[in-house]
Amino acid sequence: MAHRSIEVRKLTPAIGAEIFGVDLGGDISNSQFEAIHDALLQHVVIFFRDQKMTPEQHKGFGRRFGKLHIHPASPSVVEGHPEILVIKADANSKRVAGEVWHSDVSCDAEPPMGSILYMHQPPENGGGDTMFANMYLAYETLSEPMKRFLDGLTAVHDGEHVYRGRYGVNDAKKAFPRSEHPVVRTHPETDRKALFVNRGFTTRIKELNRNESDALLTMLYDHAETPEYQCRFKWQAGSVAFWDNRAAMHHAMWDYFPQSRLAHRVTICGDKPFHRA
């Protein structure tokens, strides 16, 4: 599909598209920006190949979409660029970022609008793919009685168990975000409803007792992670993924140990999730 000088190729019926004909490190015209923005809203996650960006260019592209987010836990190791989150794993890693299905920093009072991951070094063995799932479909394919039950419920999202002790710094005096969000959120731009719970951060449903909450969340996680709602992206050096954090979850495969993988992520600030009946 040709669209304002940018080519958009749908990746799967459920989610994802590859974008061709734009240099993210160069001057992006207003029409190109609008086309990229429209593709993100339509396909939930979009991908670019063969890109070259400096940290400033990476941040500059992100700023076209909004203020940049500073991660609540990770120290910056890109000098002078606290907005860049380094995603790195090697033979010394005990765990990796994103190896559980999640929505980025959903524990924040205002979770990020989206994230832009730029791959510097993929694993030599071809591993390290990232999977993305469409949370519009996760909600829309629930039964009508279940939709009515979920509408109006509140989930607790907690960063404590995710971030504490993870980044090799002294965080003993640090408090990590904990927030309550609607189980079903209304997207502020598309007005569509999306399921907004995830294995990474969600700890319970506020209105239910513990057993009920655990059972419901397990069902919703299993449902949201249905393969038919997903796409899987194979990284190359210079590849970029840009996902709408308000309508997508993702899962980073760690199938390449002990090989190395290095990427930089810029994240865009979002707003407080809401539910519109």
Side-chain angles (χ1 to χ4, degrees):
M1 177 177 67
H3 187 41
R4 301 175 190 169
S5 80
I6 288 178
E7 184 182 359
V8 181
R9 298 179 193 169
K10 195 170 181 64
L11 197 62
T12 75
I15 181 174
E18 289 193 275
I19 310 294
F20 300 89
V22 63
D23 175 10
L24 301 182
D27 294 326
I28 299 174
S29 68
N30 289 337
S31 64
Q32 288 177 321
F33 169 78
E34 290 173 6
I36 292 169
H37 177 262
D38 291 349
L40 178 68
L41 294 184
Q42 180 179 351
H43 300 287
V44 183
V45 58
I46 52 178
F47 307 103
F48 307 81
R49 299 285 191 187
D50 303 320
Q51 299 294 318
K52 292 183 179 180
M53 292 189 291
T54 65
E56 283 295 348
Q57 290 170 332
H58 191 180
K59 293 192 300 183
F61 176 57
R63 286 195 181 106
R64 294 289 297 267
F65 294 85
K67 180 182 176 182
L68 298 186
H69 177 272
I70 304 295
H71 196 276
S74 177
S76 175
V77 296
V78 181
E79 186 175 356
H81 301 285
E83 306 91 343
I84 292 181
L85 177 65
V86 177
I87 308 292
K88 181 180 180 180
D90 56 28
N92 298 314
S93 299
K94 304 294 187 223
R95 53 182 144 179
V96 298
E99 59 181 318
V100 173
W101 280 104
H102 67 289
S103 175
D104 285 334
V105 202
S106 66
C107 56
D108 266 1
E110 297 182 345
M113 164 264 175
S115 294
I116 304 168
L117 188 67
Y118 175 38
M119 184 60 61
H120 288 265
Q121 177 192 341
E124 293 181 3
N125 65 1
D129 295 357
T130 302
M131 297 182 293
F132 298 87
N134 186 330
M135 293 299 97
Y136 292 137
L137 286 180
Y139 173 75
E140 292 166 358
T141 52
L142 291 168
S143 68
E144 291 303 318
M146 181 55 68
K147 290 178 186 176
R148 290 194 294 270
F149 179 64
L150 295 179
D151 285 355
L153 292 183
T154 308
V156 177
H157 297 247
D158 198 341
E160 172 67 26
H161 66 284
V162 178
Y163 297 136
R164 180 70 63 190
R166 178 155 193 158
Y167 291 97
V169 296
N170 184 359
D171 57 13
K173 296 183 179 180
K174 190 164 189 175
F176 295 107
R178 181 180 185 272
S179 302
E180 297 178 0
H181 302 308
V183 170
V184 178
R185 72 178 295 181
T186 302
H187 195 288
E189 294 188 80
T190 66
D191 207 39
R192 294 176 67 183
K193 291 182 178 181
L195 196 61
F196 196 63
V197 293
N198 64 85
R199 291 188 194 270
F201 291 99
T202 309
T203 57
R204 69 169 300 155
I205 305 296
K206 183 179 177 182
E207 293 83 0
L208 305 181
N209 67 39
R210 175 59 67 180
N211 288 340
E212 292 169 339
S213 172
D214 288 349
L216 179 60
L217 285 173
T218 296
M219 183 278 288
L220 292 176
Y221 298 153
D222 290 344
H223 174 71
E225 296 162 13
T226 297
E228 285 78 9
Y229 309 155
Q230 301 174 17
C231 69
R232 180 166 175 154
F233 186 63
K234 181 167 291 297
W235 293 97
Q236 301 168 353
S239 295
V240 174
F242 183 2
W243 58 94
D244 187 337
N245 202 52
R246 303 161 295 187
M249 290 197 306
H250 59 285
H251 172 92
M253 296 294 295
W254 193 23
D255 53 358
Y256 51 89
F257 182 86
Q259 296 187 32
S260 298
R261 181 178 184 267
L262 174 64
H264 288 175
R265 192 181 88 192
V266 161
T267 303
I268 303 149
C269 291
D271 49 17
K272 185 173 179 58
F274 67 92
H275 172 265
R276 181 182 294 124

